Amino acid sequence: MNRENATIGPLLRDWRMRRRLSQLALASEAEISQRHLSFVESGRAAPSREMVLHLAEHLAVPLRDRNRLLLAAGYAPAYPDRPLGDPGLAAARQAVELILTGHEPHPALALDRHWHLVSANRAVTPLLDGVTPALLAPPVNVLRLSLHPDGLAPRIGNFREWRAHILARLAHQIDASADPALITLLEELKSYPIPPGAKPYRPASETGHGGIAVPLILITGHGTLSFISTTTIFGTALDIALSELAIESFFPADSETALAMRSLLD
């Protein structure tokens, strides 16, 4: 569906179907009548501004798309869409930098919704030795950097597992957001070749982490480094840019990696 030109009814129906909810299920969750929801989706009834936001909340619609729903219904956007460089977001940027710096000597990155690098701490740079400069030119896309044959791909010791993890994560994000840019990125990543000599795929249950995480194993000049990662988001952010910001923090998966990272930043 062309979201830019769609009316509110088809847009709501699209989000409901994307969430795999029937009209009855959504109406029950939102505590409205199924008849009213049906009328809204078919264009026979015009929802109030409050109803649009109410339904968007129950559909877990991203803030950027909630603004589009409001515009499609004839209302002004509810959420500010300021760039991260806006002076009004200075305190938020400072908080992000504190989080990144506080995670040293281990790597941490701040990313936007399209996986472009916003900021990184000092521990990231030593891990990028050998990456072609073109992939490090802004805007740096960290997924492209990870899987591209001129990026980290040749040095990822468990490339097939890491690639499967990345593609599955991106597909899940697409399922939740239907973002066209992410769809294009997924197709690009799928087209990259498997590095020569890549080890056979092993299920997560066989990697020694109990199936709870897929490690990133890097073969570097500083030794073999193994990390597991966590993602932090600002769940209560009311500004679009902040709601789409994610912090990816990498933790050492073994004592050798922890020791190596400490020595790199000494």
Side-chain angles (χ1 to χ4, degrees), residues 95-106:
V96 169
E97 293 301 326
L98 285 173
I99 293 171
L100 297 180
T101 302
H103 193 64
E104 293 177 357
H106 310 306

Side-chain angles (χ1 to χ4, degrees), residues 175-200:
D175 191 49
S177 67
D179 190 317
L182 294 180
I183 295 173
T184 300
L185 177 61
L186 178 60
E187 293 307 311
E188 177 188 338
L189 298 180
K190 286 181 176 179
S191 73
Y192 293 164
I194 303 295
K199 295 180 180 179

Side-chain angles (χ1 to χ4, degrees), residues 8 12 36 40 45-55 70 73 75:
I8 183 62
L12 284 172
H36 181 57
V40 168
S48 66
R49 176 184 177 87
E50 292 71 23
M51 179 59 69
V52 173
L53 292 173
H54 181 62
L55 291 172
L70 287 168
Y75 302 111

